[in-house]
Amino acid sequence: IMIVVGDTNFYRNLVHKNKLYSTESCNSFIKKLKEIENKKGIKKAMSTTVARELISHLKDNEDSESYKDCLFASKLLYDHCSEEDNTNYLLPLPESQNAKSFFHVENKNSIEHQKNISSLLKKISISPDSSTISNCKSTIDSVIDFLDQAEKSLIQEMQCFAKSIDPSFSDWTLFCNDSTKRRKYIDYIRNNQFKKDTATAYLTALRQDLYSQSIFTGNICDNHIKQYLETNKVALKLRISFFEKFLTKNDLFIAKNRNFIWDEQIIQCVGKSSSNDNYVLLTDDKMMIGAIIGVFPHNSSSYYNSFDTYLKALGF
């Protein structure tokens, strides 16, 4: 038995390719999809990060393709992962899950954020229209602001990092004219030390965030780092690919490159399980698929399905 987790474009493509631009068409489609999945014992889980990405487009022009796709994709996401008793399987955000796993505490802000996201999607599920979006403006604005701030921080942090190791850094490319330093850089980021360093940086940032909420934890220790490396192999593989791109140009002012931070959150479920059921990511993203194949070269199909592969297997 597997638990499928659709990425952002999985749900957008469901809407776009099947022209699911009404409550009736969405309800009919998702009913048929879930009936087949349930017969096969397939469970569904909703990624909060995917929900946030869809919600971020609900401030686009109402006549735009992105708005229409994401409005009904938000409904599909919620309905797909909801059960008849109105419960839905919400994957916790990494900052929630990791606070619990590593420090044995509840990340209050993150949990509250998840509840707000789920509540918003439920309202959209019932009435996917402009009046619902207008009534939920404050929640949507807060989600968009969160995403914007996180992406701006990524840009600033990567610029500081790049300039600290390469003072001549420009055009989002490292060591343009120094083949020796390029080789040293790629050796480092493919080495276990890079994984340890980046794990330490992540856990330190998480610990500081918890501290800002007056949630106090113990110090980070070697066992924390070892546990992080063991449980986040696929996410770390994706992170390495992201850092490699700075040798050929990784312009973070381009939105699809900044999306790495959300892709890493989405992919964190891969390689993990719930009640012995594997999470299977539904995605066509080349970098995410590359990371999965890199970690699971011989059985990658047990960890991801493409959009077409998954739907064809279900008879669509």
Short mmCIF file of all heavy atoms in Angstrom, two decimals, residues 157-192:
data_model
loop_
_atom_site.label_atom_id
_atom_site.label_comp_id
_atom_site.label_asym_id
_atom_site.label_seq_id
_atom_site.Cartn_x
_atom_site.Cartn_y
_atom_site.Cartn_z
N GLU A 157 20.65 35.15 1.31
CA GLU A 157 21.57 34.18 1.92
C GLU A 157 22.50 33.56 0.89
O GLU A 157 23.69 33.37 1.15
CB GLU A 157 20.76 33.09 2.63
CG GLU A 157 20.08 33.57 3.90
CD GLU A 157 19.05 32.58 4.42
OE1 GLU A 157 18.97 31.46 3.85
OE2 GLU A 157 18.33 32.93 5.38
N MET A 158 21.98 33.26 -0.29
CA MET A 158 22.82 32.65 -1.32
C MET A 158 23.81 33.66 -1.89
O MET A 158 24.94 33.30 -2.24
CB MET A 158 21.95 32.06 -2.43
CG MET A 158 21.16 30.82 -2.00
SD MET A 158 22.16 29.55 -1.17
CE MET A 158 23.46 29.25 -2.36
N GLN A 159 23.42 34.93 -1.99
CA GLN A 159 24.36 35.96 -2.44
C GLN A 159 25.50 36.10 -1.43
O GLN A 159 26.67 36.19 -1.83
CB GLN A 159 23.63 37.29 -2.63
CG GLN A 159 22.80 37.36 -3.90
CD GLN A 159 22.04 38.66 -4.02
OE1 GLN A 159 21.59 39.23 -3.01
NE2 GLN A 159 21.87 39.15 -5.23
N CYS A 160 25.16 36.12 -0.15
CA CYS A 160 26.20 36.23 0.90
C CYS A 160 27.12 35.02 0.88
O CYS A 160 28.35 35.15 0.98
CB CYS A 160 25.56 36.38 2.27
SG CYS A 160 24.74 37.96 2.55
N PHE A 161 26.53 33.85 0.75
CA PHE A 161 27.32 32.61 0.71
C PHE A 161 28.27 32.63 -0.48
O PHE A 161 29.47 32.35 -0.35
CB PHE A 161 26.39 31.40 0.63
CG PHE A 161 27.08 30.12 0.22
CD1 PHE A 161 27.87 29.41 1.12
CD2 PHE A 161 26.96 29.63 -1.08
CE1 PHE A 161 28.51 28.24 0.75
CE2 PHE A 161 27.59 28.46 -1.46
CZ PHE A 161 28.37 27.76 -0.55
N ALA A 162 27.74 32.96 -1.65
CA ALA A 162 28.54 32.92 -2.88
C ALA A 162 29.69 33.93 -2.82
O ALA A 162 30.83 33.62 -3.18
CB ALA A 162 27.66 33.19 -4.10
N LYS A 163 29.40 35.14 -2.34
CA LYS A 163 30.44 36.18 -2.27
C LYS A 163 31.49 35.86 -1.21
O LYS A 163 32.65 36.27 -1.33
CB LYS A 163 29.80 37.54 -2.00
CG LYS A 163 29.03 38.09 -3.20
CD LYS A 163 28.34 39.41 -2.89
CE LYS A 163 27.57 39.92 -4.10
NZ LYS A 163 26.83 41.18 -3.80
N SER A 164 31.09 35.11 -0.18
CA SER A 164 32.05 34.76 0.87
C SER A 164 33.08 33.76 0.38
O SER A 164 34.23 33.75 0.85
CB SER A 164 31.32 34.19 2.09
OG SER A 164 30.80 32.91 1.82
N ILE A 165 32.70 32.90 -0.58
CA ILE A 165 33.66 31.91 -1.08
C ILE A 165 34.26 32.32 -2.43
O ILE A 165 35.28 31.77 -2.85
CB ILE A 165 33.02 30.51 -1.21
CG1 ILE A 165 31.86 30.51 -2.21
CG2 ILE A 165 32.56 30.00 0.15
CD1 ILE A 165 31.31 29.13 -2.51
N ASP A 166 33.61 33.30 -3.09
CA ASP A 166 34.11 33.78 -4.38
C ASP A 166 33.85 35.28 -4.49
O ASP A 166 32.78 35.70 -4.94
CB ASP A 166 33.42 33.04 -5.53
CG ASP A 166 33.88 33.53 -6.90
OD1 ASP A 166 34.89 34.26 -6.97
OD2 ASP A 166 33.21 33.17 -7.90
N PRO A 167 34.82 36.12 -4.07
CA PRO A 167 34.64 37.57 -4.10
C PRO A 167 34.31 38.12 -5.49
O PRO A 167 33.71 39.19 -5.62
CB PRO A 167 35.99 38.10 -3.62
CG PRO A 167 36.55 36.99 -2.79
CD PRO A 167 36.10 35.73 -3.46
N SER A 168 34.65 37.37 -6.54
CA SER A 168 34.37 37.83 -7.91
C SER A 168 33.03 37.29 -8.42
O SER A 168 32.71 37.42 -9.60
CB SER A 168 35.49 37.38 -8.86
OG SER A 168 35.55 35.97 -8.92
N PHE A 169 32.24 36.70 -7.54
CA PHE A 169 30.94 36.14 -7.91
C PHE A 169 30.08 37.17 -8.64
O PHE A 169 29.87 38.28 -8.15
CB PHE A 169 30.21 35.67 -6.64
CG PHE A 169 28.79 35.23 -6.85
CD1 PHE A 169 28.50 34.02 -7.47
CD2 PHE A 169 27.72 36.01 -6.42
CE1 PHE A 169 27.19 33.61 -7.66
CE2 PHE A 169 26.41 35.61 -6.59
CZ PHE A 169 26.14 34.39 -7.21
N SER A 170 29.58 36.79 -9.81
CA SER A 170 28.69 37.68 -10.58
C SER A 170 27.84 36.83 -11.51
O SER A 170 28.19 35.69 -11.83
CB SER A 170 29.50 38.68 -11.40
OG SER A 170 30.29 38.01 -12.37
N ASP A 171 26.74 37.42 -11.93
CA ASP A 171 25.80 36.75 -12.85
C ASP A 171 25.40 35.37 -12.34
O ASP A 171 25.21 34.44 -13.12
CB ASP A 171 26.42 36.65 -14.24
CG ASP A 171 25.36 36.41 -15.32
OD1 ASP A 171 24.20 36.81 -15.11
OD2 ASP A 171 25.70 35.78 -16.34
N TRP A 172 25.30 35.23 -11.02
CA TRP A 172 24.84 34.01 -10.38
C TRP A 172 25.68 32.78 -10.74
O TRP A 172 25.17 31.66 -10.81
CB TRP A 172 23.37 33.74 -10.68
CG TRP A 172 22.47 34.76 -10.05
CD1 TRP A 172 21.89 35.84 -10.65
CD2 TRP A 172 22.08 34.82 -8.67
NE1 TRP A 172 21.16 36.56 -9.74
CE2 TRP A 172 21.26 35.95 -8.51
CE3 TRP A 172 22.34 34.01 -7.55
CZ2 TRP A 172 20.69 36.30 -7.28
CZ3 TRP A 172 21.78 34.37 -6.33
CH2 TRP A 172 20.96 35.50 -6.21
N THR A 173 26.97 33.00 -11.01
CA THR A 173 27.85 31.89 -11.38
C THR A 173 29.12 31.95 -10.54
O THR A 173 29.76 33.01 -10.44
CB THR A 173 28.22 31.97 -12.88
OG1 THR A 173 27.03 32.09 -13.65
CG2 THR A 173 28.99 30.73 -13.31
N LEU A 174 29.51 30.82 -9.97
CA LEU A 174 30.70 30.76 -9.13
C LEU A 174 31.95 30.39 -9.93
O LEU A 174 31.89 29.56 -10.84
CB LEU A 174 30.50 29.71 -8.02
CG LEU A 174 29.63 30.10 -6.83
CD1 LEU A 174 29.26 28.85 -6.03
CD2 LEU A 174 30.33 31.12 -5.94
N PHE A 175 33.07 31.00 -9.56
CA PHE A 175 34.41 30.64 -10.06
C PHE A 175 34.45 30.51 -11.60
O PHE A 175 34.92 29.51 -12.13
CB PHE A 175 34.87 29.33 -9.43
CG PHE A 175 34.76 29.30 -7.93
CD1 PHE A 175 33.94 28.37 -7.29
CD2 PHE A 175 35.46 30.21 -7.15
CE1 PHE A 175 33.84 28.33 -5.90
CE2 PHE A 175 35.36 30.19 -5.75
CZ PHE A 175 34.54 29.25 -5.13
N CYS A 176 33.97 31.56 -12.26
CA CYS A 176 33.90 31.52 -13.73
C CYS A 176 35.25 31.21 -14.38
O CYS A 176 35.31 30.46 -15.37
CB CYS A 176 33.39 32.86 -14.26
SG CYS A 176 31.66 33.17 -13.92
N ASN A 177 36.32 31.77 -13.83
CA ASN A 177 37.63 31.66 -14.50
C ASN A 177 38.65 30.90 -13.67
O ASN A 177 39.86 31.09 -13.84
CB ASN A 177 38.16 33.07 -14.81
CG ASN A 177 37.19 33.87 -15.67
OD1 ASN A 177 36.73 33.37 -16.70
ND2 ASN A 177 36.87 35.08 -15.24
N ASP A 178 38.17 30.04 -12.78
CA ASP A 178 39.11 29.31 -11.92
C ASP A 178 38.68 27.85 -11.82
O ASP A 178 37.88 27.46 -10.97
CB ASP A 178 39.15 29.95 -10.52
CG ASP A 178 40.34 29.49 -9.71
OD1 ASP A 178 40.72 28.31 -9.86
OD2 ASP A 178 40.87 30.30 -8.92
N SER A 179 39.22 27.03 -12.71
CA SER A 179 38.82 25.62 -12.78
C SER A 179 39.21 24.85 -11.52
O SER A 179 38.51 23.92 -11.11
CB SER A 179 39.45 24.96 -14.00
OG SER A 179 40.87 25.07 -13.96
N THR A 180 40.31 25.25 -10.88
CA THR A 180 40.75 24.56 -9.66
C THR A 180 39.74 24.76 -8.54
O THR A 180 39.35 23.80 -7.85
CB THR A 180 42.13 25.08 -9.21
OG1 THR A 180 43.07 24.85 -10.25
CG2 THR A 180 42.58 24.37 -7.94
N LYS A 181 39.30 26.01 -8.35
CA LYS A 181 38.32 26.30 -7.30
C LYS A 181 36.95 25.70 -7.63
O LYS A 181 36.21 25.30 -6.72
CB LYS A 181 38.21 27.80 -7.07
CG LYS A 181 39.44 28.38 -6.37
CD LYS A 181 39.27 29.85 -6.06
CE LYS A 181 40.48 30.40 -5.30
NZ LYS A 181 40.35 31.84 -5.01
N ARG A 182 36.62 25.62 -8.90
CA ARG A 182 35.36 24.98 -9.30
C ARG A 182 35.37 23.51 -8.89
O ARG A 182 34.38 22.99 -8.36
CB ARG A 182 35.15 25.09 -10.83
CG ARG A 182 34.80 26.50 -11.29
CD ARG A 182 34.85 26.60 -12.82
NE ARG A 182 33.78 25.84 -13.44
CZ ARG A 182 32.55 26.30 -13.66
NH1 ARG A 182 32.23 27.53 -13.28
NH2 ARG A 182 31.65 25.56 -14.26
N ARG A 183 36.51 22.84 -9.11
CA ARG A 183 36.63 21.44 -8.75
C ARG A 183 36.57 21.26 -7.23
O ARG A 183 35.90 20.36 -6.72
CB ARG A 183 37.94 20.88 -9.31
CG ARG A 183 38.33 19.47 -8.87
CD ARG A 183 37.21 18.46 -8.95
NE ARG A 183 36.58 18.38 -10.25
CZ ARG A 183 35.45 17.73 -10.50
NH1 ARG A 183 34.82 17.13 -9.51
NH2 ARG A 183 34.93 17.69 -11.71
N LYS A 184 37.25 22.13 -6.49
CA LYS A 184 37.22 22.05 -5.03
C LYS A 184 35.80 22.25 -4.50
O LYS A 184 35.35 21.58 -3.56
CB LYS A 184 38.15 23.09 -4.41
CG LYS A 184 39.64 22.74 -4.53
CD LYS A 184 40.50 23.79 -3.83
CE LYS A 184 41.97 23.42 -3.91
NZ LYS A 184 42.82 24.44 -3.25
N TYR A 185 35.08 23.19 -5.12
CA TYR A 185 33.71 23.48 -4.70
C TYR A 185 32.81 22.27 -4.92
O TYR A 185 32.06 21.85 -4.02
CB TYR A 185 33.17 24.68 -5.48
CG TYR A 185 31.70 24.97 -5.26
CD1 TYR A 185 31.26 25.60 -4.11
CD2 TYR A 185 30.75 24.62 -6.23
CE1 TYR A 185 29.90 25.87 -3.91
CE2 TYR A 185 29.39 24.88 -6.04
CZ TYR A 185 28.98 25.51 -4.88
OH TYR A 185 27.64 25.77 -4.69
N ILE A 186 32.90 21.68 -6.10
CA ILE A 186 32.00 20.55 -6.40
C ILE A 186 32.37 19.33 -5.56
O ILE A 186 31.50 18.55 -5.15
CB ILE A 186 31.99 20.23 -7.91
CG1 ILE A 186 30.68 19.52 -8.27
CG2 ILE A 186 33.20 19.42 -8.35
CD1 ILE A 186 30.34 19.53 -9.73
N ASP A 187 33.67 19.17 -5.27
CA ASP A 187 34.08 18.07 -4.38
C ASP A 187 33.49 18.26 -2.99
O ASP A 187 33.07 17.29 -2.35
CB ASP A 187 35.61 18.01 -4.30
CG ASP A 187 36.25 17.42 -5.56
OD1 ASP A 187 35.51 16.82 -6.37
OD2 ASP A 187 37.47 17.58 -5.72
N TYR A 188 33.48 19.50 -2.52
CA TYR A 188 32.96 19.80 -1.18
C TYR A 188 31.47 19.53 -1.10
O TYR A 188 30.99 18.84 -0.18
CB TYR A 188 33.25 21.24 -0.80
CG TYR A 188 32.46 21.73 0.39
CD1 TYR A 188 32.61 21.15 1.65
CD2 TYR A 188 31.52 22.76 0.25
CE1 TYR A 188 31.86 21.57 2.74
CE2 TYR A 188 30.77 23.20 1.34
CZ TYR A 188 30.95 22.60 2.57
OH TYR A 188 30.20 23.02 3.65
N ILE A 189 30.68 20.05 -2.06
CA ILE A 189 29.23 19.91 -1.94
C ILE A 189 28.75 18.48 -2.20
O ILE A 189 27.63 18.12 -1.85
CB ILE A 189 28.46 20.91 -2.84
CG1 ILE A 189 28.76 20.68 -4.31
CG2 ILE A 189 28.72 22.33 -2.42
CD1 ILE A 189 27.92 21.53 -5.23
N ARG A 190 29.62 17.66 -2.79
CA ARG A 190 29.27 16.25 -2.98
C ARG A 190 29.84 15.38 -1.86
O ARG A 190 29.67 14.16 -1.87
CB ARG A 190 29.79 15.76 -4.34
CG ARG A 190 29.03 16.37 -5.52
CD ARG A 190 29.61 15.93 -6.84
NE ARG A 190 28.86 16.49 -7.98
CZ ARG A 190 29.22 16.34 -9.26
NH1 ARG A 190 30.32 15.66 -9.56
NH2 ARG A 190 28.49 16.87 -10.22
N ASN A 191 30.48 16.01 -0.91
CA ASN A 191 31.11 15.31 0.20
C ASN A 191 30.18 15.26 1.40
O ASN A 191 29.29 16.11 1.55
CB ASN A 191 32.43 16.02 0.56
CG ASN A 191 33.22 15.27 1.60
OD1 ASN A 191 32.96 15.40 2.79
ND2 ASN A 191 34.19 14.49 1.16
N ASN A 192 30.39 14.29 2.27
CA ASN A 192 29.55 14.15 3.45
C ASN A 192 29.64 15.36 4.38
O ASN A 192 28.69 15.66 5.11
CB ASN A 192 29.93 12.88 4.22
CG ASN A 192 28.75 12.33 5.01
OD1 ASN A 192 27.64 12.23 4.50
ND2 ASN A 192 29.00 11.98 6.27
#
